[in-house]
Amino acid sequence: MPLIVVTTSPRVAPGLLSHQAWQALRSGEVLTASAAHPQLPYLAEAGVEVTVGPQNPAELVRRAVGTTLVWLAMDDENFLRAAGHAALALDEPPVIEIVPGSYDLPGARVLDLVGVMDRLRVECPWDRKQTHETLVPYLLEEAYEVLETIEHGDYPALREELGDLLLQVVFHARVAESFDIDDVAEGIVEKLVRRHPHVFGSVTAETADEVNDNWEAIKAAERAEKGTESILDGVPMGQPSLSLAAQLVRRAERSGAPEALAQAVGQGVARELFDLVRRAQEAGLDPEAELRAAARDYRERVRNWETRTT
């Protein structure tokens, strides 16, 4: 006889179980350790009786030799590990079968982050007092740390840094009063679908250039719908100056602005820097990335010099 272990995900609404799980739950005596198991009300509604309370893993395994037992699991890995060891100690152990009642879909763990953030905003004095304004330095810091791991090719560290950045997104969504994380996700999903008609619609785009052309046409239509007059509206003026100048030049060129408008901009060093940005754009280079690479090279030279002189 088998010992059937039915597993469920806390990120899936209780009661939404697989057909195989419902069959298992009706195949023998059902037991679980916790009276707080979220599936219990739904099993009771379906007429499935459940014995609730602590169980001895060795005794449970011995009973499963002669009858079908169903264990409704919930955060009891140690108990199941002990049951497995007890089964191996028997001359004729029962078959232990794992039946997934529900399982996580991609992105399900984001729900855990939302739940943790909700609790922090209620129970942690520091998290509770934060505002959009006080969180800005952390948002910038985490974004730059993501950039640094990419520049270093440190992809194992990238996972952690992306998590820190994701926390900032969820934090801001939790602080907001007029929207929440679902509204944030809904907005970006709608934008992505709208700007990718070659994927989600009937438009054909065979090359990356065609995709870019469609993207710019759609953005122009969105600006017109919003009553936005300039293609430069929406460019964040608070970004680093090299990136800012490059984005302004790039957008202006796409709109057909005369090249003469970008000539003799500013005075002195500012004019030289702006001209360098234009030269980088013409060469297909990112001036911010180029200068950062030069800065990293300079840092290594200084460190090597320090090593030689100490």
Side-chain angles (χ1 to χ4, degrees), residues 73-96:
M74 188 181 82
D75 298 329
D76 41 20
E77 290 85 358
N78 292 334
F79 176 86
L80 294 174
R81 189 176 296 108
H85 290 312
L88 291 175
L90 297 177
D91 293 333
E92 295 184 6
V95 174
I96 299 180

Side-chain angles (χ1 to χ4, degrees), residues 30-132:
V30 182
L31 307 96
T32 193
S34 175
H37 200 297
Q39 300 292 342
L40 291 180
Y42 300 90
L43 297 183
E45 185 179 353
V48 177
E49 295 184 5
V50 181
T51 301
V52 180
Q55 298 289 327
N56 182 294
E59 177 62 25
L60 184 71
V61 169
R62 284 194 294 270
R63 287 184 58 202
V65 173
T67 186
T68 298
L69 296 180
V70 182
W71 182 257
L72 187 59
M74 188 181 82
D75 298 329
D76 41 20
E77 290 85 358
N78 292 334
F79 176 86
L80 294 174
R81 189 176 296 108
H85 290 312
L88 291 175
L90 297 177
D91 293 333
E92 295 184 6
V95 174
I96 299 180
E97 180 182 355
I98 306 296
V99 175
S102 59
Y103 50 88
D104 292 344
L105 295 174
R109 297 309 295 265
V110 176
L111 297 176
D112 290 347
L113 177 57
V114 172
V116 168
M117 191 70 255
D118 285 346
R119 185 170 177 180
L120 290 176
R121 281 289 285 180
V122 173
E123 299 181 23
C124 176
W126 187 89
D127 290 282
R128 189 166 54 240
K129 75 175 186 178
Q130 299 310 307
T131 66
H132 294 300

Side-chain angles (χ1 to χ4, degrees), residues 11 14 40 68 190 232 276-277 280 283:
R11 302 165 199 89
L40 291 180
T68 298
E190 290 179 350
L232 302 183
L276 286 174
V277 169

